[in-house]
Amino acid sequence: MIVASASALLRELVEEDVCEFERVEHPGETAIVTPKARPPEASSPRRVAAEPSGPVPWTDGQPTLEDVRAHLGDCQRCDLCEGRRQIVFGDGDPNADLMFVGEGPGEHEDRQGLPFVGRAGELLTQMIEKGIGIPRREVYICNIVKCRPPRNRNPLPPEVSACRPFLDGQIRAVAPKVIVTLGKPAASLLLDREIAITRMRGTWHDYQGIPLMPTLHPAYVLRQYTPQNRRAVWQDLQAAFERART
Ligand code: URA
């Protein structure tokens, strides 16, 4: 009995400290192209206006997603701009009831300019479409940081801080009924404390008056592809969907 609970605790610690902290390259994904290997125009597309300076203009009101994207501009606010192909802003229904927040773009997202389009994204899409039974386009999906961290490492505190006003702007713009955070970093950021994701997932929290449900990151579920983990996420998404419907 003691051995069983000790090994469960150990497993939980290992999962939290190793698996959830560390973002690993997904199998089959190619290594990051270093900034120096890229032509400058590929790493810095000039499709949007240069980065506007000054504080964000939506601290009190409700911006539109276009306002937030325009203010982000061709962002150079942190070092992640040096390695990105493009900014990965967000995807989905601007009026969604359900909003998903992940950690940061990976290789596929950086190439396509859309969040969650790699292997983890395929699983997330399946969870949304088969698990809760709504088309992915009916939810809104974004990340803590909008540019790919080198080698898919965790975003660093200055990078997270630089991007924070834009995540907050997206949340204000979409004004979802429920936020689902994917993995430990997104939940810890929005709840403003280090959380243990395997303990906290499946429980309700609050982000500025919006119910928040932390669940496991789909990349973690892919690595630990157990019936328990799949059931856990399915339950969390069901709970989030039910709450968003009321
Ligand atoms: N992982 C994330 O956290 N976000 C993505 O967009 C893709 C993978």
Side-chain angles (χ1 to χ4, degrees), residues 11 16 37 48-49 51 65-66 76 78 92 97 119 124-125 141 167 176-177 192-193 229 233 241:
R11 197 168 54 242
E16 281 162 12
V48 287
E51 171 193 317
L65 284 174
E66 287 76 23
Q76 317 277 322
C78 81
D97 289 340
R119 285 190 66 229
L124 178 64
T125 304
I141 306 176
L167 174 60
K177 288 189 181 157
D192 205 17
R193 63 184 192 275
N229 284 341
V233 176
F241 180 59

Side-chain angles (χ1 to χ4, degrees), residues 23 26 102-106 109 114-117 120 143 217:
R23 297 182 77 224
H26 303 149
E103 187 179 343
E109 290 76 20
L114 291 169
F116 283 98
V117 289
N143 284 302
H217 194 287

Side-chain angles (χ1 to χ4, degrees), residues 1 18 52 58 77 89 108 114 142 153 208 223 227 245:
M1 179 68 180
V18 178
W58 54 80
R77 292 171 181 84
F89 183 64
H108 294 278
L114 291 169
C142 65
R153 65 157 168 72
Q208 298 187 355
R223 293 195 297 273
R245 276 208 307 195

Side-chain angles (χ1 to χ4, degrees), residues 105-128:
E107 157 100 25
H108 294 278
E109 290 76 20
D110 182 54
R111 281 181 190 277
Q112 295 185 42
L114 291 169
F116 283 98
V117 289
R119 285 190 66 229
E122 276 170 26
L123 181 61
L124 178 64
T125 304
Q126 269 186 32
M127 287 167 171
I128 295 168

Side-chain angles (χ1 to χ4, degrees), residues 43-64:
S43 65
S44 235
R46 303 281 155 188
R47 284 183 296 112
V48 287
E51 171 193 317
S53 55
V56 295
W58 54 80
T59 42
D60 293 327
Q62 185 186 16
T64 63

